[in-house]
Amino acid sequence: MGAVREFVHGFDWFVLVYFLTLNSIYLALILLAAYDIAHLIRRESIVDYDDMFANPLTPPVSIVVPAYNEEAVILDSVHAMLALRYPEFEVIVVDDGSTDGTFDLLAEAFELRAVERVIPNMVPTIGRVLSVHVASSGEPLVVVRKENAGRRSDTVNVGIDLARYPLVCMVDADSILEDTALLRAAKPFVDDPQRVVAVGGVIRTANGSDVYRGRVEDARMPKGWLPRIQTVEYLRSFLLGRLGWSRLQGLLIISGAFGIFRRDVVIAARGLDLESLGEDAELVTTVHEYLRRARRDYRIVFVPEPVCWTEVPETLSQLGSQRRRWSRGLAQLLRKHRRMIGNPRYGRIGLVVLPYYLAFELLGPVVEVVGLGVFGMSIALGAVGGWFALAFAAAAIGYGLILSVCALAIEEFAFHRYRRWTDLQRAFAAAIVENLGYRQMHAWWRLQGLMDEIVGRRASWGTMTRQGFTSSSNGTEAAPDAAAEKVSA
Amino acid sequence: MILSPTLITDAGVVMLVVLVVLGFATTVSKTFRARHDHRALLRVRKLRPFVLAAMEHPADNVATLSQLPRKERDAFVALARGLLPHLRGVDRERLVQILETTRLIDAALRQTHSRSPIRRARAAELLGLAGVARSQPELVRLLRDRDRDVRRTAARALGIVGDPRSVRALLDSLDGPRAVPVNAVTMAILRIGAPATTELRSLLLHGPPATRAVAAELLGLIGSTGAVPGLVGVLESDAGIELHIRAARALGRIGAPQATAALAACLAPDQPAPLRAVTARALGDIGGVRALSVLLTTTRSPEHVVASNAARALVTVGGEGITMLRHAATQPGRAGAYAREALSVAGLDAVELDPRGVA
C-alpha cells in the first residue's frame, strides 16, 4: 500500500510540474504575441493599404472555397468574398457533391454557365470533376462540381489544381472574411516576396454576431456557453498562441478556415494530404519539411488582424467530434513526420516545435486525464495533503484562468472587437467556466482521438450542422429548419 | 518540503492579484478608450468648420489655426492628412498654403529627424500628401531609414511629390540591408508616370540585374513605346530568365508589334516554361497575324499553363485566332482540349454559328 501511495504521489508531482511547464510555455507565447501586437497597433496609423490595392503588381489571389451542403451560408460567404477589397482575385467554390441546394443557390444568384476546363492534375485528387461553371454576371467566380470523396483535402486540391493565380487562399464556406482581410493577409507576400511562402489569418467565432449581406456588422459574444468558451479559447490559442509561434518562426498550424499559400510551394508539397484528418497543419509541416530539405530561406507568418469569422459548434456532440478529429489529425501528422522530430536538420521546427506538439499537444490529454484520475486516487488514499491539492488546483486551473484573462485583456487593449460591457462580462465568465468541466471534457475528446488513431478506427471527417448567420439588420434570423446538415464523410 | 503552505498561499495571492489587476486594467482601458475616442471626434468636428472657412477666406482664419493648442493642432494635421488625398485644384493649393503658413510643413520637415519612427513616418506622409517639392532630399534620405515602415512611407511620399529625379534613388533603395519593399517602390514610380521613363530606360540597359527587371516591368506598365527597342534588346540578350520574363510582359503591355519576332523566339520549346507562359500572353496582347501560327503550335505544349495561355491568347487576338481555335477544337488531344477551354471560357461556341441564324 505504501508503494502505491508513493507512486501516485510521485505521479501527482509529475503532473503538477507538467501543468506548470505547459502553462508557462503558453504564457511565454502570449507575452511574445502581446509584444508583436503592441508593435502592430502603434504602426496601424502609418501602414497604408491603398498603395497595395492600387498597384497592378500586387500578386493576384485564387480563393479556394470547399463546400459540402452549405446552403445555409454559401450565398453570404460568396457575396462577402466577391466584395473583398483586393486588386485581382478569383473565387473558386468547389462543391464536393452536395445533396442540398448549395449549387442551385449559386447557379441562380450568379447565373452560372458551364465551361470546359482542362484539369492539369498537378496535385493528387480522388473525386472526379463533373463540371466547371463561371458567373455570367461578370463576377470572378468559378464553381466546380465534383464527386463526393468524403474529405476536405480532396475538395481543396481540386481548387488548387484549377487556380490560375500565384497565391491560393483557402477559406471554409462557413467563414466570412472582412473586406480588408485579403489585403492584410497578402501584405507579408508583398513586403517579402522572396521568402514568405504562407500566411495564416486569425479566426474568430461568428456565433451570435450580427451578419448582414456577408459582413459582420456587430461582433457579439455568443448566447450559449459552449460557443462562448470557444470564443475565449480561439483568442488564447488561435490568435495569441499562433502569433507567439509565428514570432519564433515556428508556426505549424494555419487554419484551413483562412490561410494563403504560394501555389508553386503547395504544388511542390503535392497539395493537401488526402489521408490526413488535420490536413491544414499537415500541409504546413510538409512545406516546412520540403523547404528545410531544400535549404531555402523562407517565412511562414501569422497576422493577427485580417479577421475571418466562422461558425463554431454549438453542441457537445459536434464539438467532441471536431476535437477528436483534430487530435487524430495531429497524431497522424506527428507519425508521418516522425523523422523531423528532434532532427537538427529541420532547425527549430525539428528541435523545438514538433517536440512541443508531441509532448504537450498530443500527450497533454493523456497526462491530464490520467493525472486527474490518479489525483483523485491520491486524495482517496490520503497520499496528498490539502496544501498539495491546492497547489495542484492553482497550477492546473488558476494558471489556466490567468492565461485566458490575459488573452481577453490583450483583445480589449488591442482589438476591442466587442463593444458592449455585457460581452466583456460574458467573456470573463466564460474564461472561468472553461476551467470547470470544459477543459476536462476537451482533454477526454482529445484522448479519444488519439486512441482512435492508435487502434486504427475508420477515419471520419465528422458532421456539422450549419445554423446560418444571424442578422438583425434586415429583421431576419435563420430559422432552425433552414439549417443544413453537413456530413462530409 | 518544496511546497510549503506559505509558498502555496503566496502563489495563490499572486494569482489573485494578477487576475484582479488584469480585470481592472481591462475595465479602465475600455472606459477611457470610449471617452478618448469621443473627445477626439468632438475635436475634429469643432475644427472642421474652421479649416473649411480658412480654405474659403484664408486671410481671416489662418491666424486662428496658427494659435491652436497642441491637441487641436494634432487634430488639424490629422484632418489635413485625411482631406489632402481627396482635394484637387484650388482647394488643395489653399490647404497646402494653410499648412505652410501655420508652419506645419516646417514642423514636418523637422520631424523627419525625430527619434520616433511613427513621427518620422507621419511627417513623411504629410510632406508627400502636400506635395512639398523642397522635402525631396529629406524623403530620399528617409529611404535608408532604419525603420522599414518609414522607408515605405518615404517611397510613397516621393511618388506623390512626383519629382522624376527621385527615380534612381527609389530603384537604388531596392537593394541592401535597408531595402524598401518592391511594391512601394513600383507604386511610387508609377505615380511619377511618364516623366520617369528616361531614367527607367537608362537603368534598363545599365542597372544591376534586379533593378533592370523592375525597370522593365515599370516601362511596360507606364506604356513607354520609346522603351521597345531596349526591351527587345534585353529579350535577345542573355540577361537571364527573370529579366526576359519582365521584358516579355512589358512588350505585351505596350502592345509593340515590332517585338513579335523576338517574342516568338521565346516560345521555342527549349525556353523555360514560365517565360513561354508569359510570352504567349504578351503575343496575344500584341495580336497580329504573325503571332498566330506560333501560338497555335504552343497550344500543344506539355506544360499546362503554357498551353492554356497560348489558347487564351488566340482568343485575345480574335478574328483569325478564333477561327484557328475553332478548327483546333474539333481535334482530339491536348491542343483540342485547350482550344475548347479557351473558347468556352470566353463564352464563344466551338463551332461558328450561322450568321443567318438558321439551325
Side-chain angles (χ1 to χ4, degrees):
Chain A
M1 197 63 177
V4 173
R5 283 180 58 172
E6 279 293 311
F7 173 76
V8 293
H9 189 51
F11 192 78
D12 286 339
W13 265 103
F14 164 71
V15 175
L16 179 71
V17 172
Y18 184 90
F19 276 139
L20 281 173
T21 312
L22 174 61
N23 285 335
S24 298
I25 293 171
Y26 266 128
L27 184 63
L29 290 172
I30 286 175
L31 293 176
L32 277 173
Y35 177 82
D36 257 14
I37 288 171
H39 181 84
L40 196 89
I41 298 297
R42 272 202 307 274
R43 275 145 196 275
E44 186 64 22
S45 65
I46 59 169
V47 175
D48 182 82
Y49 292 98
D50 290 345
D51 272 12
M52 197 177 147
F53 182 63
N55 196 330
L57 297 178
T58 297
V61 180
S62 296
I63 303 173
V64 175
V65 188
Y68 180 81
N69 286 358
E70 304 281 5
E71 69 175 10
V73 293
I74 193 71
L75 285 184
D76 268 345
S77 297
V78 173
H79 277 301
M81 285 172 209
L82 290 171
L84 286 172
R85 192 162 177 260
Y86 199 80
E88 191 178 359
F89 66 96
E90 61 176 352
V91 177
I92 304 174
V93 178
V94 185
D95 179 7
D96 190 24
S98 293
T99 53
D100 68 352
T102 301
F103 177 77
D104 295 336
L105 283 171
L106 289 170
E108 190 187 342
F110 298 100
E111 299 166 36
L112 296 182
R113 66 176 173 86
V115 293
E116 277 204 53
R117 283 289 295 267
V118 178
I119 312 292
N121 293 320
M122 298 175 95
V123 285
T125 54
I126 300 171
R128 193 167 55 91
V129 171
L130 302 171
S131 57
V132 182
H133 308 256
V134 295
S136 303
S137 45
E139 284 96 343
L141 173 67
V142 178
V143 179
V144 184
R145 300 191 86 179
K146 66 179 277 287
E147 287 171 346
N148 180 269
R151 56 201 73 191
R152 181 181 174 277
S153 46
D154 184 56
T155 317
V156 174
N157 277 355
V158 167
I160 292 167
D161 219 10
L162 282 166
R164 287 186 61 82
Y165 293 140
L167 299 179
V168 281
C169 175
M170 301 168 195
V171 185
D172 279 351
D174 59 332
S175 299
I176 287 185
L177 296 182
E178 291 189 344
D179 59 353
T180 58
L182 206 52
L183 266 183
R184 287 169 181 267
K187 189 168 176 291
F189 291 102
V190 168
D191 286 350
D192 194 356
Q194 301 300 323
R195 293 192 302 174
V196 174
V197 296
V199 173
V202 67
I203 314 294
R204 285 175 182 258
T205 53
N207 306 48
S209 292
D210 187 11
V211 179
Y212 181 61
R213 290 185 72 85
R215 281 176 66 103
V216 173
E217 297 278 330
D218 187 15
R220 300 295 311 266
M221 282 300 278
K223 290 191 178 107
W225 280 103
L226 206 54
R228 210 177 274 174
I229 290 169
Q230 289 174 79
T231 304
V232 177
E233 191 188 15
Y234 272 50
L235 283 175
R236 188 187 59 234
S237 304
F238 296 179
L239 171 57
L240 301 174
R242 287 180 192 175
L243 191 57
W245 280 120
S246 169
R247 172 130 184 102
L248 294 171
Q249 290 174 36
L251 189 64
L252 203 65
I253 301 176
I254 288 179
S255 171
F258 183 35
I260 306 185
F261 294 79
R262 264 176 57 168
R263 183 169 177 267
D264 59 339
V265 171
V266 175
I267 286 170
R270 304 284 296 141
L272 272 67
D273 184 343
L274 296 174
E275 299 307 319
S276 173
L277 284 168
E279 67 280 349
D280 36 13
E282 209 290 321
L283 173 64
V284 179
T285 314
T286 304
V287 167
H288 275 300
E289 183 176 7
Y290 166 71
L291 294 172
R292 291 264 177 187
R293 275 176 175 273
R295 298 185 184 281
R296 287 257 303 270
D297 184 14
Y298 70 99
R299 293 281 179 278
I300 295 180
V301 183
F302 185 81
V303 278
E305 253 305 309
V307 170
C308 169
W309 300 86
T310 194
E311 223 187 318
V312 297
E314 299 233 5
T315 65
L316 283 174
S317 65
Q318 286 170 10
L319 184 63
S321 161
Q322 182 194 58
R323 299 307 162 99
R324 278 191 289 273
R325 183 163 52 82
W326 287 1
S327 175
R328 192 167 177 183
L330 179 63
Q332 290 174 339
L333 180 155
L334 291 170
R335 194 179 58 186
K336 182 177 170 185
H337 297 279
R338 57 188 176 277
R339 282 186 200 159
M340 292 173 73
I341 301 173
N343 189 338
R345 183 177 181 180
Y346 299 100
R348 63 190 71 188
I349 298 296
L351 293 176
V352 179
V353 182
L354 286 172
Y356 162 82
Y357 272 88
L358 175 65
F360 292 106
E361 295 291 341
L362 186 72
L363 299 178
V366 180
V367 176
E368 198 163 341
V369 172
V370 176
L372 279 175
V374 172
F375 183 62
M377 196 195 297
S378 305
I379 291 174
L381 292 172
V384 294
W387 287 109
F388 187 89
L390 266 180
F392 197 90
I397 296 174
Y399 207 166
L401 181 60
I402 285 178
L403 295 176
S404 295
V405 173
C406 259
L408 290 175
I410 293 170
E411 149 66 24
E412 186 48 44
F413 282 120
F415 305 112
H416 33 85
R417 291 275 176 168
Y418 300 100
R419 291 185 294 128
R420 291 174 183 77
W421 281 100
T422 47
D423 286 329
L424 193 62
Q425 287 159 6
R426 284 173 181 164
F428 274 109
I432 296 167
V433 174
E434 182 192 8
N435 291 285
L436 308 171
Y438 176 84
R439 263 185 60 180
Q440 293 72 24
M441 256 188 317
H442 188 206
W444 175 242
W445 291 326
R446 287 162 67 200
L447 181 63
Q448 284 181 317
L450 177 60
M451 293 307 297
D452 286 348
E453 182 60 18
I454 290 170
V455 301
R457 194 163 290 154
R458 191 172 166 271
S460 162
W461 271 258
T463 63
M464 170 83 177
T465 303
R466 300 284 181 230
Q467 299 296 327
F469 298 111
T470 312
S471 170
S472 61
S473 306
N474 59 356
T476 61
E477 191 165 329
D481 60 358
E485 185 73 7
K486 181 181 168 65
V487 186
S488 187
Chain B
M1 183 82 180
I2 302 169
L3 285 180
S4 68
T6 319
L7 180 69
I8 294 167
T9 313
D10 288 351
V13 169
V14 168
M15 280 182 171
L16 206 61
V17 168
V18 169
L19 282 173
V20 170
V21 167
L22 281 172
F24 181 71
T26 309
T27 310
V28 169
S29 156
K30 197 170 180 68
T31 311
F32 278 85
R33 192 185 39 260
R35 280 188 197 171
H36 175 269
D37 291 352
H38 183 64
R39 281 180 188 165
L41 194 70
L42 286 180
R43 226 173 273 137
V44 171
R45 271 189 197 158
K46 237 169 80 179
L47 264 174
R48 193 185 295 267
F50 276 110
V51 176
L52 295 176
M55 284 164 64
E56 198 69 23
H57 307 288
D60 305 336
N61 296 286
V62 167
T64 318
L65 290 171
S66 303
Q67 290 155 13
L68 289 172
R70 191 181 61 81
K71 280 189 177 174
E72 275 68 18
R73 201 176 159 87
D74 290 347
F76 171 43
V77 174
L79 190 62
R81 266 204 301 264
L83 282 172
L84 279 168
H86 305 289
L87 295 178
R88 297 285 179 275
V90 180
D91 287 341
R92 189 173 188 284
E93 281 169 23
R94 282 185 178 167
L95 183 54
V96 172
Q97 191 53 48
I98 293 168
L99 290 167
E100 287 278 14
T101 315
T102 51
R103 299 200 162 277
L104 287 169
I105 296 294
D106 289 339
L109 280 165
R110 281 196 304 278
Q111 283 196 338
T112 59
H113 295 274
S114 166
R115 288 182 65 184
S116 156
I118 311 289
R119 287 213 183 105
R120 292 199 300 277
R122 281 191 185 148
E125 187 190 13
L126 182 65
L127 293 169
L129 290 172
V132 182
R134 70 176 189 280
S135 69
Q136 196 251 5
E138 292 300 326
L139 293 172
V140 167
R141 176 179 59 78
L142 290 181
L143 287 176
R144 290 295 177 192
D145 193 274
R146 61 181 177 276
D147 187 276
R148 191 171 66 169
D149 288 329
V150 176
R151 298 197 292 271
R152 190 205 320 267
T153 313
R156 182 167 189 262
L158 282 168
I160 300 171
V161 170
D163 187 340
R165 287 173 300 174
S166 311
V167 172
R168 186 171 284 269
L170 280 163
L171 284 170
D172 286 347
S173 74
L174 289 169
D175 272 335
R178 289 183 176 179
V180 181
V182 66
N183 208 263
V185 170
T186 52
M187 195 60 217
I189 297 175
L190 285 174
R191 277 211 171 91
I192 294 171
T197 51
T198 311
E199 194 70 40
L200 287 173
R201 277 155 61 185
S202 160
L203 284 163
L204 173 71
L205 300 178
H206 308 297
T211 308
R212 293 176 74 192
V214 176
E217 193 88 59
L218 288 167
L219 285 164
L221 285 166
I222 294 170
S224 167
T225 48
V228 171
L231 289 166
V232 171
V234 164
L235 214 52
E236 288 170 342
S237 70
D238 54 355
I241 181 173
E242 187 63 30
L243 195 46
H244 281 169
I245 287 174
R246 309 276 191 127
R249 192 153 47 212
L251 287 164
R253 281 183 175 135
I254 295 168
Q258 61 269 48
T260 304
L263 285 167
C266 292
L267 282 180
D270 59 340
Q271 295 292 334
L275 174 62
R276 295 166 67 216
V278 170
T279 304
R281 286 184 68 171
L283 275 173
D285 291 338
I286 292 170
V289 289
R290 282 186 296 165
L292 293 175
S293 63
V294 70
L295 282 173
L296 190 66
T297 309
T298 309
T299 60
R300 288 191 282 272
S301 169
E303 297 93 355
H304 168 76
V305 66
V306 178
S308 178
N309 280 6
R312 291 186 190 210
L314 282 167
V315 172
T316 312
V317 173
E320 187 62 24
I322 292 172
T323 309
M324 284 172 123
L325 271 182
R326 282 193 168 125
H327 177 71
T330 60
Q331 308 295 314
R334 286 177 63 82
Y338 284 109
R340 288 191 294 276
E341 176 189 76
L343 289 167
S344 174
V345 169
L348 298 166
D349 294 303
V351 181
E352 191 169 15
L353 297 175
D354 189 323
R356 291 166 299 178
V358 180

